[in-house]
Amino acid sequence: MSTGDYLDVVFDSLRISALSEPEIVDDFSYNETRLASGETFIQTSSTPRFSKTYRCLTEDDVERDAIRLKRGKFADLVIDGITYSGCCIKPPIRFKYTRVPGRWEYDITFVQHTGTLPVPVADELPALIDGGSA
């Protein structure tokens, strides 16, 4: 396969061997609760959730291993030159070995974190008072 056969998808500087986008899903927040009174309480949002799934076929083991190293990492996802910040790989990823040595089929889903990322705070150590000695 040539690079022209693949879609233009790059995650954290790694070109993904995406052959197709098997489905387009419009997902948005929706919560339905049945109240004790028997009535229904619904919360919803018109803001779509970002989620892209791709069917892929690697050229070698290198891509599979590189993708596995990016699990749990937030990074830029670039699709057709458009950058989506704060994206990560949604589990699970299942690699299916093909009959061609080193080639793997897999589906990968990227989602975008749209909330505020927490800022880690270093543990504060208590101040030591030593009577002013140096």
Side-chain angles (χ1 to χ4, degrees):
M1 298 190 97
S2 70
T3 28
D5 295 331
Y6 295 109
L7 301 175
D8 185 15
V9 180
V10 178
F11 178 66
D12 193 29
S13 302
L14 173 66
R15 183 162 300 283
I16 305 297
S17 58
L19 291 173
S20 66
E21 188 175 355
E23 62 181 338
I24 297 174
V25 177
D26 287 333
D27 192 10
F28 53 92
S29 295
Y30 178 87
N31 186 34
E32 184 174 322
T33 305
R34 175 153 292 211
L35 303 176
S37 65
E39 295 178 326
T40 303
F41 178 75
I42 296 174
Q43 293 175 295
T44 189
S45 171
S46 61
T47 304
R49 292 183 191 154
F50 178 89
S51 178
K52 293 278 189 182
T53 300
Y54 295 97
R55 179 144 300 132
C56 304
L57 177 64
T58 67
E59 292 291 328
D60 53 39
D61 292 329
V62 174
E63 180 181 333
R64 180 205 59 194
D65 295 341
I67 288 169
R68 295 174 86 194
L69 290 173
K70 297 192 181 295
R71 294 176 295 194
K73 183 175 183 180
F74 287 93
D76 287 346
L77 174 66
V78 182
I79 303 169
D80 295 328
I82 299 171
T83 301
Y84 301 89
S85 299
C87 292
C88 67
I89 298 170
K90 181 179 178 181
I93 306 173
R94 291 183 183 91
F95 294 92
K96 180 181 174 187
Y97 193 70
T98 67
R99 293 180 185 246
V100 179
R103 293 186 77 166
W104 298 86
E105 294 176 4
Y106 66 97
D107 287 348
I108 189 166
T109 300
F110 296 99
V111 293
Q112 186 179 37
H113 182 83
T114 56
T116 303
L117 290 173
V119 177
V121 177
D123 292 334
E124 292 183 17
L125 298 175
L128 298 177
I129 300 175
D130 63 0
S133 63

